[in-house]
Amino acid sequence: MKKGMLASMVMIAVFMAACGGGGSKDANATDSAKSTETTAPADNSMVAPGANSAVSKGETLEAGLDCKTCHKVDMKVVGPSFKEIAAKYKPTDENIEMLAAKIISGGSGNWGTVAMTPHPDLSKDDAKEIVKYILAQK
Ligand code: HEC
């Protein structure tokens, strides 16, 4: 009789801990993870408002991708340096469009026989922002 009571008390305690404590703790953890993710870019745009924001966006996007494996700003690695690219192409709409397409589809021929890997997950708009950042490296 006594043992049975104890067992059910333990069951109730476990049930309450699982529903109350455990549940709300998880919700808090995902909440705070989400809020740091969403506040980071918002803070960035506060720090760099106005004229620089397009360049900053391209630079931020580029920093999160694999470009640096093959490109440096002022040194040829596997691909041409960003300064070489900026010297070769004027930042016209046509060039920005063409280079954005090239980043997405990859390929070779303009600098040699080594090919750039394709980046199919990159949107055209984001690729254009990156091209604008690259063509500003003079
Ligand atoms: C595997 C190495 C590699 C990676 C990763 C890479 N590139 Fe390239 N990239 C190259 C090579 C090689 C070329 C030269 C292609 C050619 O000869 O047409 C190139 C060329 C370019 C060009 C000039 C294209 C042209 O036709 O003149 C741009 C702009 C460029 N890369 C941007 C990027 C960006 C932005 C990223 C990241 C999203 C990136 N690359 C990632 C190797 C790479």
Side-chain angles (χ1 to χ4, degrees):
M1 200 57 187
K2 218 180 163 194
K3 260 188 184 171
M5 282 253 305
L6 209 90
S8 54
M9 295 265 291
V10 169
M11 292 270 284
I12 288 165
V14 167
F15 180 74
M16 280 173 69
C19 275
S24 68
K25 211 175 167 193
D26 276 352
N28 280 341
T30 45
D31 264 7
S32 61
K34 261 186 203 155
S35 67
T36 45
E37 252 178 53
T38 47
T39 49
D43 282 349
N44 246 348
S45 66
M46 297 277 282
V47 176
N52 263 347
S53 65
V55 170
S56 305
K57 191 181 176 202
E59 187 169 5
T60 312
L61 285 166
E62 189 269 341
L65 293 161
D66 66 347
C67 324
K68 285 195 161 58
T69 321
C70 298
H71 296 283
K72 295 239 179 319
V73 170
D74 51 15
M75 203 181 87
K76 183 185 186 307
V77 190
V78 178
S81 75
F82 287 165
K83 282 190 177 172
E84 283 178 291
I85 297 172
K88 181 170 170 140
Y89 300 102
K90 289 200 168 67
T92 60
D93 286 350
E94 240 174 54
N95 282 341
I96 290 168
E97 184 78 25
M98 184 274 286
L99 292 172
K102 170 97 169 212
I103 294 169
I104 292 169
S105 60
S108 64
N110 285 343
W111 298 85
T113 52
V114 185
M116 170 155 61
T117 48
H119 298 85
D121 294 339
L122 204 59
S123 77
K124 193 68 172 282
D125 283 346
D126 284 355
K128 282 184 180 179
E129 291 298 331
I130 298 174
V131 171
K132 285 182 204 163
Y133 155 70
I134 293 171
L135 296 186
Q137 305 304 306
K138 286 182 182 164

